Amino acid sequence: RVVDRLEVDGLGQIEASLVDAANPVVFVAPAALGVAGDELPDALGARPGFLDAAEAIRAAAAEAMGIVADRRLALHESPTVPILALVSAPRTYQDRFGRTVEAGEIDLVARAVISQRAHRAYPLTALICTAVAARIPGTLVNRIARPAAGPEVRVGHAAGSATAAAVVHGAGAAARVESASIVRTARRLLEGTVYVQPRAAESRA
């Protein structure tokens, strides 16, 4: 199903798209958790009840996806998957470094909750799954993402933006993923100088 209606403890019934590509992710609208969707991680974590509600949704999704047999066991048996992602339409916002992410430069806004914490950027496996979900007609991600002719999906997250690409054929239960990928350029990890003492010349008889 492109959209499930999960019965969530304390929240009632909510819409969610459950997608497993690179990592299982449960996608929901921020309104399901009473937030706008462009908040920064510290603000989300400090919001009363937010992380508990996020875990309740994640646990219900884990049960629905067959990851755990009983949602009450989700936190103990599968604390990291599925990842919870809040997805909303593109908008201009400030990332956690104070930089402006322009609405015109992204296709959607996303925030992730993993290991009972609001992620400070966006997990790469969730990024791949988001691109796949954006290309499956009818999912929550597909509904809110900016339409695009090509396979690339630009996701605005708490630390800036990132791009993934997905090629999906078909719709609904017939949807098949041909490819999913990310582009990541090389970056310098360290620079330094190493001094090596030369070996003493060997004497010859």
Side-chain angles (χ1 to χ4, degrees):
R1 294 178 293 272
V2 292
V3 174
D4 278 276
R5 287 169 176 79
L6 300 176
E7 195 66 41
V8 180
D9 300 338
L11 296 177
Q13 195 175 85
I14 67 164
E15 284 193 330
S17 289
L18 313 178
V19 184
D20 185 358
N23 234 343
V25 179
V26 49
F27 297 98
V28 298
L33 286 157
V35 297
D38 59 358
E39 293 89 347
L40 298 181
D42 289 344
L44 290 174
R47 188 178 181 89
F50 174 83
L51 292 176
D52 288 340
E55 178 56 28
I57 295 173
R58 198 191 70 82
E63 183 182 82
M65 299 177 87
I67 296 171
V68 296
D70 186 326
R71 67 184 63 188
R72 293 172 296 181
L73 304 175
L75 186 59
H76 174 69
E77 293 187 355
S78 186
T80 58
V81 295
I83 297 169
L84 175 69
L86 312 180
V87 290
S88 54
R91 73 192 73 174
T92 299
Y93 66 91
Q94 301 290 315
D95 73 9
R96 67 185 181 89
F97 300 109
R99 301 173 302 202
T100 299
V101 179
E102 298 288 349
E105 298 174 352
I106 55 177
D107 299 314
L108 65 122
V109 175
R111 298 291 185 266
V113 178
I114 184 170
S115 298
Q116 293 69 60
R117 293 183 180 180
H119 199 279
R120 298 187 69 76
Y122 201 64
L124 290 182
T125 52
L127 177 65
I128 292 172
C129 193
T130 303
V132 169
R135 294 293 174 258
I136 300 175
T139 67
L140 294 182
V141 186
N142 176 261
R143 290 180 191 174
I144 59 93
R146 189 191 312 277
E152 291 191 347
V153 178
R154 303 167 299 172
V155 177
H157 56 75
S161 64
T163 300
V167 176
V168 178
H169 300 292
R176 294 292 179 270
V177 181
E178 177 183 309
S179 65
S181 60
I182 59 171
V183 176
R184 191 166 189 178
T185 56
R187 57 181 175 173
R188 182 176 296 174
L189 298 179
L190 59 88
E191 184 177 38
T193 303
V194 177
Y195 295 96
V196 179
Q197 182 170 346
R199 295 174 59 183
E202 296 180 359
S203 60
R204 294 182 180 272

